[in-house]
Amino acid sequence: MNTPLPNQPVRGSHSGVAIMAVFDLLGRKWNMRILWELRTGPQTFRTLQENCDNMSPSVLNNRIKQLADARLLATSPTGYQLTELGNTLMTTLDPLRAWASVWEKQL
Amino acid sequence: MNTPLPNQPVRGSHSGVAIMAVFDLLGRKWNMRILWELRTGPQTFRTLQENCDNMSPSVLNNRIKQLADARLLATSPTGYQLTELGNTLMTTLDPLRAWASVWEKQL
DNA sequence: GTATATTGCTACTTATTTCGTAGCGAATTG
DNA sequence: CAATTCGCTACGAAATAAGTAGCAATATAC
């Protein structure tokens, strides 16, 4: 499973359009969640795993590599943390929380 | 595969917190892409399939049902289209395009 | 009004992804 | 130096997605 990056073909699309790479990357299970959990600060492998409902370590490890390839997270002395890019992504996804609560009310 | 909805347990989380349901739903392959393709207007089953890189009809059908359950899309005389909720979701995801292009530049 | 094409699917098989569990080697703590 | 914690790998089982064929219903063409 290769890491979807802009300017190169991604799963299901050969256009290389950046937004398609985003959909491919974030559409893989756990990726959005992992970034979300790291919003509030760095976490170790095992803490992150616990916070992501004990997702399997093999998948977590795989995801960490993908997200690192995509320059959205990086390792630090205190654990994995968002890069600047990862942070700005989370900021653009931030309004999702508000949307989710509207959604919740309407259902 | 059940449809993740707020206020009920979703894959990997039993909290019922709305944002987790969003991650579960949007984290499934094609869901974000399908909504994105419908941004600009209604599409028939087969057109949608073509625009989603000829995804398999079985999965498309499955996703349509999920997204309809989640009240994000509905059928109309001219094909499938976003509901009001679906539209507001796409609006909140709109800044992703801008982020994606920054991402592209930095890689 | 009958042949042709298109549309929305379903069925089924195969491939890929994800899960779940066990556990190892390195670093840290007592 | 024993015990724990940590990051991670291996690997079989389960779930999900892909790929292909095709059918029934409606629309279009002649």
Side-chain angles (χ1 to χ4, degrees):
Chain A
M1 204 166 44
N2 69 316
T3 304
L5 299 172
N7 276 327
Q8 61 183 64
V10 295
R11 231 177 20 167
S13 168
H14 295 271
S15 61
V17 176
I19 189 92
M20 294 305 160
V22 176
F23 291 154
D24 191 356
L25 185 62
L26 296 189
R28 290 175 186 183
K29 199 170 171 185
W30 293 117
N31 273 344
M32 235 187 308
R33 174 75 175 273
I34 289 168
L35 296 174
W36 186 262
E37 294 293 340
L38 291 177
R39 242 176 340 137
T40 49
Q43 291 185 34
T44 65
F45 189 94
R46 272 167 128 110
T47 308
L48 191 50
Q49 189 187 6
E50 278 160 34
N51 288 335
C52 292
D53 308 297
N54 290 303
M55 66 178 291
S56 78
S58 44
V59 177
L60 176 55
N61 186 239
N62 181 286
R63 292 306 186 264
I64 284 171
K65 280 178 185 149
Q66 285 174 13
L67 294 170
D69 280 353
R71 313 266 182 230
L72 299 181
L73 66 73
T75 56
S76 85
T78 50
Y80 297 102
Q81 70 179 162
L82 297 183
T83 59
E84 187 52 35
L85 264 172
N87 261 310
T88 58
L89 175 56
M90 281 306 99
T91 305
T92 83
L93 252 44
D94 228 41
L96 261 189
R97 243 177 316 186
W99 179 87
S101 96
V102 172
W103 183 42
E104 188 175 17
K105 274 167 206 140
Q106 297 215 9
L107 282 173
Chain B
M1 203 165 48
N2 69 317
T3 304
L5 298 172
N7 277 326
Q8 59 182 65
V10 294
R11 235 180 13 171
S13 170
H14 295 270
S15 61
V17 176
I19 190 91
M20 295 305 162
V22 175
F23 291 155
D24 190 356
L25 184 60
L26 296 189
R28 291 177 187 182
K29 199 170 170 183
W30 294 116
N31 273 345
M32 234 187 308
R33 174 74 176 273
I34 289 167
L35 296 175
W36 185 262
E37 294 293 340
L38 290 177
R39 242 178 339 139
T40 49
Q43 291 185 35
T44 64
F45 188 94
R46 273 168 128 110
T47 307
L48 192 51
Q49 188 186 6
E50 278 159 34
N51 288 336
C52 291
D53 307 297
N54 289 305
M55 66 178 291
S56 78
S58 42
V59 178
L60 176 55
N61 186 239
N62 181 286
R63 292 306 184 265
I64 284 172
K65 281 177 186 150
Q66 285 175 15
L67 294 170
D69 279 353
R71 314 265 182 228
L72 299 181
L73 67 73
T75 56
S76 84
T78 51
Y80 297 103
Q81 72 179 160
L82 298 183
T83 60
E84 188 52 35
L85 265 173
N87 261 311
T88 58
L89 174 56
M90 282 306 99
T91 305
T92 84
L93 252 45
D94 228 40
L96 260 190
R97 244 178 314 188
W99 179 88
S101 96
V102 173
W103 182 43
E104 188 175 17
K105 273 167 206 139
Q106 296 214 10
L107 282 172

